[in-house]
Amino acid sequence: MRFLVFLLSCLIFSASISTVSAQPSEILPEPELSEPVVPDANSIVPSVDDVPLSSETTRSDAQKRLDDLFAELRKTRNANAANRLANSIWSEWFKSGSASIDLMLDWSNAAVERKDYNIALDFLDQIVTKMPEFAEGWNRRATLHYTMSNFSKSMVDIQKVLALEPRHFGALSGMATIFERTGNNKAALDAWQRALAVYPAMKSGQEAIVRLSDVLEGDPT
């Protein structure tokens, strides 16, 4: 009798397990992934919190790399070799040491490609405010002002670049171009000569020196 009761209990327990196992298990929905924030031309330009800057040792190492590259650039007369050195210098200039500044530079570049110049300018304004010692921020804004035909504003930013990095041949080239476009050929020639002093193999500078020298020789003023 006890055996029958025990057997019956086992059968009931086994049946209950089978019933539970037969029921489908609940599947929880996967959480939605949040989309990255992308600046919109019709929205307020997002402000990006800055991150800690590079250490003093890192900045010192970067400055030494630049000094070595410029030393080689001044000695190099081969155009291709000089171009490679110039590209390496640009790579050093592009390093802000701040992830947030680099992000805003990318956003600014994307806006320029879309020809959303006012949006690009907003980002560059933030960059030079947050990191005034970053020469390339001023140089990018100078280039954008030039693109927008704001020559006087571009020249102000170029002066900021050169105060931070007197060897900035990109800024010197921009200065020379603005002087020439506004009819100040003597100042343009001087600017190109300054650029060639640090980058002697720069082809555009060499051609500009010849062109402007010919113009000035034929101009009695």
Side-chain angles (χ1 to χ4, degrees), residues 175-196:
M175 174 184 283
T177 301
I178 291 173
F179 278 139
E180 189 169 0
R181 285 198 60 177
T182 54
N184 194 339
N185 292 327
K186 178 64 170 64
L189 180 63
D190 291 342
W192 279 119
Q193 288 173 336
R194 289 173 62 187
L196 287 178

Side-chain angles (χ1 to χ4, degrees), residues 60-93:
S60 177
D61 291 344
Q63 188 60 50
K64 185 179 185 309
R65 286 195 300 272
L66 272 175
D67 292 343
D68 291 344
L69 287 168
F70 270 112
E72 287 297 317
L73 187 64
R74 280 192 296 271
K75 294 186 297 184
T76 303
R77 295 298 180 267
N78 180 275
N80 291 331
N83 185 61
R84 288 192 293 271
L85 288 167
N87 286 337
S88 296
I89 290 171
W90 278 110
S91 295
E92 292 297 321
W93 281 339

Side-chain angles (χ1 to χ4, degrees), residues 8 11 29 34 36 60 62 65-66 73 83 118 128-129 160 164 170 196 203 212 215-216:
L8 182 59
L11 290 173
S34 58
S60 177
R65 286 195 300 272
L66 272 175
L73 187 64
N83 185 61
N118 288 329
V128 299
T129 299
K160 291 281 190 179
L164 292 165
L196 287 178
K203 187 175 181 181
L212 289 168
V215 170
L216 290 170

Side-chain angles (χ1 to χ4, degrees), residues 1-220:
M1 184 64 178
R2 291 179 182 175
F3 176 77
L4 290 176
V5 173
F6 174 77
L7 180 60
L8 182 59
S9 299
C10 290
L11 290 173
I12 293 171
F13 180 74
S14 177
S16 65
I17 292 178
S18 299
T19 303
V20 172
S21 300
Q23 294 177 352
S25 60
E26 183 181 3
I27 301 176
L28 297 177
E30 294 185 2
E32 295 183 1
L33 298 177
S34 58
E35 295 292 331
V37 177
V38 179
D40 183 81
N42 298 318
S43 65
I44 299 175
V45 174
S47 179
V48 180
D49 291 334
D50 207 354
V51 297
L53 302 180
S54 303
S55 67
E56 190 63 34
T57 300
T58 301
R59 288 194 293 270
S60 177
D61 291 344
Q63 188 60 50
K64 185 179 185 309
R65 286 195 300 272
L66 272 175
D67 292 343
D68 291 344
L69 287 168
F70 270 112
E72 287 297 317
L73 187 64
R74 280 192 296 271
K75 294 186 297 184
T76 303
R77 295 298 180 267
N78 180 275
N80 291 331
N83 185 61
R84 288 192 293 271
L85 288 167
N87 286 337
S88 296
I89 290 171
W90 278 110
S91 295
E92 292 297 321
W93 281 339
F94 290 160
K95 297 174 183 176
S96 70
S98 165
S100 61
I101 295 296
D102 291 344
L103 180 60
M104 284 190 285
L105 279 175
D106 290 342
W107 284 348
S108 175
N109 291 339
V112 169
E113 290 178 3
R114 299 193 307 269
K115 299 188 184 304
D116 290 333
Y117 295 143
N118 288 329
I119 296 295
L121 189 58
D122 284 337
F123 285 124
L124 292 171
D125 287 345
Q126 285 194 57
I127 289 169
V128 299
T129 299
K130 288 176 177 290
M131 191 179 286
E133 73 278 12
F134 179 44
E136 192 55 30
W138 297 102
N139 187 56
R140 296 286 184 93
R141 199 172 73 168
T143 302
L144 181 56
H145 279 314
Y146 178 84
T147 302
M148 299 170 73
S149 297
N150 298 329
F151 296 152
S152 60
K153 291 182 178 180
S154 180
M155 192 66 80
V156 169
D157 282 351
I158 286 172
Q159 295 290 359
K160 291 281 190 179
V161 177
L162 295 175
L164 292 165
E165 175 51 273
R167 303 168 298 184
H168 202 298
F169 47 81
L172 289 167
S173 300
M175 174 184 283
T177 301
I178 291 173
F179 278 139
E180 189 169 0
R181 285 198 60 177
T182 54
N184 194 339
N185 292 327
K186 178 64 170 64
L189 180 63
D190 291 342
W192 279 119
Q193 288 173 336
R194 289 173 62 187
L196 287 178
V198 296
Y199 186 173
M202 185 194 300
K203 187 175 181 181
S204 59
Q206 293 171 346
E207 293 173 346
I209 292 290
V210 173
R211 180 180 67 252
L212 289 168
S213 296
D214 289 343
V215 170
L216 290 170
E217 285 179 5
D219 186 354

